[in-house]
Amino acid sequence: MTFDAIDRELLKLLQNDSKQTNKALSLQLNLSVTAVYERIKKLEKSGIVKQYVALVDKSKVKKDFVAFCHIKLVQHSQDYVVKFEREVNQLHEVLECYHLSGDYDYLLKVLVKDMKAFREFMVEKLTKIDHIGSTHSMFMINEVKHTTAITL
């Protein structure tokens, strides 16, 4: 799908605040409410807009200890990769998981209450997954930039 300038601006506005009404969006874009509605439906139908979510302040829900875990599997067989990915998807503490090239196989972003909760996660959950050869964890000192918006 190709974007025109209005699509790009609409996506920017939706990424900033997806709860805006079509009327509010139409005023900002100088379009009719129907035109905005149709453009949004087109973006949704094409899969460009996948879902609408609420962004939760992690400190307000006492989940502001962020760790990044590098994971190295003992082997790179398809069975080990599939099993690891299936099991890590079941861990609610893991917000993000990326399969990487380089020294480590995976990078996990883990969100828990504190160091004690992180240790519990490591001992009780993560290291119980078969075929993990090694882990290396780093902890966030300060969040310098965090965005979910994609510039088009």
Side-chain angles (χ1 to χ4, degrees):
M1 180 179 162
T2 56
F3 302 110
D4 63 15
I6 295 171
D7 289 327
R8 284 191 288 278
E9 185 63 21
L10 176 57
L11 284 167
K12 179 181 166 188
L13 292 168
L14 286 172
Q15 288 182 96
N16 186 50
D17 180 6
S18 65
K19 286 188 75 172
Q20 293 182 72
T21 63
N22 288 347
K23 182 168 178 65
L25 291 165
S26 73
L27 292 171
Q28 294 173 78
L29 296 168
N30 292 322
L31 293 174
S32 70
V33 173
T34 302
V36 168
Y37 174 82
E38 302 222 347
R39 282 179 181 263
I40 290 172
K41 286 297 164 202
K42 180 179 72 168
L43 292 168
E44 291 170 346
K45 188 176 180 185
S46 67
I48 292 166
V49 173
K50 294 182 356 181
Q51 63 183 344
Y52 298 93
V53 299
L55 300 177
V56 176
D57 184 333
K58 60 186 171 292
S59 65
K60 303 256 189 214
V61 294
K62 295 184 173 54
K63 296 276 185 158
D64 53 353
F65 187 87
V66 180
F68 296 93
C69 302
H70 286 115
I71 307 293
K72 196 179 284 190
L73 300 180
V74 292
Q75 225 180 47
H76 297 105
S77 72
Q78 182 180 4
D79 289 345
Y80 287 12
V81 166
V82 168
K83 187 173 189 294
F84 173 80
E85 290 178 3
R86 184 176 54 243
E87 291 189 32
V88 84
N89 268 296
Q90 301 303 312
L91 302 175
H92 69 271
E93 296 90 348
V94 177
L95 267 63
E96 299 172 36
C97 175
Y98 301 97
H99 194 173
L100 306 172
S101 63
D103 293 337
Y104 289 91
D105 300 315
Y106 290 91
L107 175 64
L108 309 181
K109 181 178 180 182
V110 178
L111 195 63
V112 291
K113 180 181 177 185
D114 53 22
M115 179 61 87
K116 181 180 178 191
F118 180 72
R119 182 182 188 287
E120 198 171 288
F121 164 76
M122 290 295 290
V123 171
E124 298 296 323
K125 295 183 179 181
L126 187 63
T127 57
K128 288 192 174 180
I129 296 176
D130 290 337
H131 315 304
I132 291 180
S134 65
T135 65
H136 176 83
S137 299
M138 299 169 289
F139 309 105
M140 179 186 75
I141 294 171
N142 183 38
E143 187 172 87
V144 177
K145 180 179 180 179
H146 176 89
T147 184
T148 60
I150 298 171
T151 303
L152 302 171

